[in-house]
Amino acid sequence: MRVWAISNQKGGVGKTTTVASLAGLLQGQGAKVLMVDLDPHGSLSSYFEMNAEDVEYGVYDLFQKAMTHQPCEDPGKYIRATAFENLFLLPAVMALATVERQAGTIEGLGLVLQKALEHLHGEFDYVLIDTPPMLGVLMVNALAACDRLIVPVMAEYLSLQGLERMLRTLAMISRSRKRPFDYTIVPSLFDRRTRVSADSLRLLQERYGGFLWAGVIPVDTKLREASEAHLPISHYQPNSRAAIAYEQLLEFLLEPGMTNEPQALSA
Ligand SMILES: Nc1ncnc2c1ncn2[C@@H]1O[C@H](COP(=O)(O)OP(=O)(O)OP(=O)(O)O)[C@@H](O)[C@H]1O
Ligand SMILES: [Mg+2]
């Protein structure tokens, strides 16, 4: 079971879109995929037609148990089927927002998701975790649970400081797990016509060279249409520029060396 977290503390950089797109592609290849919506806003849940307002049980319940010092339970009963075969979702509920508020007072909440996923070992081929745009306890859970971090970075509003902070946290978690793992920066919402996109990409190449995916996810309105149609882009418009870009990204992520020999992360 491979666990990928899609994270960036910057908002609106394409995290949720990346989760839905990669999940759709993996499902299309016959893999059994679980998506975990860790964002209290529940955008990923709505993408797959589950509203965080309507969902009664979900990933929050796992945290609730941990906050009241109850043993970690099997998340299986909270997992919902989507309209797509082999594609499942652990939905967000609104209450998830309270985890962030209460977490400061309760210790040991960083490993809730990791422990929950241990129950699912062997049940899924891939687990893709969507995170809120905030370096809080929910994102820390995603970083601790994953063996690969995918960081969509929007070239136009590049916030390298935020990125550095997140990567430092990742390095810290990585050290405490005594298991190095790697991350991939994915330029997203890339507009070839703008100079700022090209400049930002150059900067990313200089700073993150080996950790930067060589491709880009272009700006493509088909992605917004796909989310409105509640379809992953590969199901909505497989020949769109965005679908092809995500296909190339997935190909890169599945390259054998990528997951079997993770590069050590230097702090
Ligand atoms: N490559 C793209 N081209 C055009 N629109 C895109 C692209 N990627 C994402 N979008 C659109 O941009 C908006 C933000 O994308 P998305 O919700 O995936 O970002 P996010 O990082 O998950 O945001 P948040 O931090 O709020 O959770 C959405 O309306 C989405 O449809
Ligand atoms: Mg999102």
Side-chain angles (χ1 to χ4, degrees):
M1 191 167 85
R2 293 184 187 180
V3 184
W4 296 347
I6 292 77
S7 247
N8 188 338
Q9 56 192 9
K10 193 109 188 89
V13 294
K15 294 182 287 294
T16 302
T17 304
T18 299
V19 173
S21 303
L22 293 177
L25 283 165
L26 285 165
Q27 179 268 355
Q29 294 180 0
K32 192 171 173 193
V33 184
L34 171 67
M35 299 174 291
V36 178
D37 191 354
L38 275 191
D39 187 348
H41 287 118
S43 329
L44 181 68
S45 303
S46 339
Y47 197 122
F48 290 92
E49 296 185 89
M50 285 172 225
N51 279 322
E53 289 97 341
D54 306 333
V55 173
E56 240 179 292
Y57 301 102
V59 73
Y60 170 71
D61 296 80
L62 302 172
F63 285 95
Q64 215 266 332
K65 287 261 153 53
M67 287 191 287
T68 50
H69 306 288
Q70 294 174 60
C72 167
E73 58 181 350
D74 184 341
K77 62 181 172 198
Y78 303 130
I79 294 174
R80 312 279 192 95
T82 66
F84 306 90
E85 196 186 357
N86 278 335
L87 183 57
F88 296 85
L89 175 69
L90 187 51
V93 294
M94 296 282 277
L96 204 48
T98 63
V99 173
E100 218 58 88
R101 288 200 290 274
Q102 295 173 7
T105 56
I106 299 160
E107 293 217 344
L109 277 190
L111 297 179
V112 173
L113 185 63
Q114 186 192 315
K115 284 184 192 151
L117 292 182
E118 279 167 14
H119 286 277
L120 300 175
H121 224 84
E123 276 188 53
F124 294 94
D125 299 310
Y126 294 89
V127 178
L128 270 54
I129 309 167
D130 192 15
T131 55
M134 175 186 176
L135 185 47
V137 71
L138 293 167
M139 192 191 283
V140 165
N141 265 270
L143 297 183
C146 74
D147 43 47
R148 164 175 295 282
L149 171 68
I150 297 163
V151 190
V153 170
M154 190 172 166
E156 252 146 333
Y157 300 104
L158 200 57
S159 161
L160 288 178
Q161 255 181 358
L163 190 61
E164 286 290 337
R165 234 182 26 231
M166 195 176 74
L167 294 176
R168 268 201 303 274
T169 308
L170 177 75
M172 233 164 59
I173 294 171
S174 178
R175 266 199 306 274
S176 70
R177 301 192 325 170
K178 299 193 177 60
R179 176 158 76 101
F181 61 98
D182 57 349
Y183 63 95
T184 301
I185 294 175
V186 175
S188 64
L189 284 138
F190 191 81
D191 189 348
R192 280 192 195 282
R193 294 164 306 181
T194 65
R195 188 171 167 173
V196 65
S197 273
D199 287 349
S200 311
L201 190 60
R202 212 168 306 119
L203 198 63
L204 280 174
Q205 272 156 353
E206 279 166 22
R207 292 219 189 170
Y208 298 100
F211 294 102
L212 182 71
W213 174 48
V216 296
I217 304 296
V219 169
D220 187 345
T221 50
K222 294 279 178 268
L223 281 170
R224 195 181 298 258
E225 290 172 23
S227 85
E228 282 161 9
H230 305 289
L231 295 168
I233 188 71
S234 51
H235 292 248
Y236 180 70
Q237 282 249 335
N239 297 322
S240 59
R241 292 185 319 137
I244 291 164
Y246 273 114
E247 233 173 76
Q248 290 167 346
L249 172 62
L250 181 61
E251 230 171 81
F252 169 79
L253 293 171
L254 294 179
E255 274 172 21
M258 292 302 290
T259 33
N260 298 336
E261 296 159 39
Q263 289 167 274
L265 188 70
S266 62

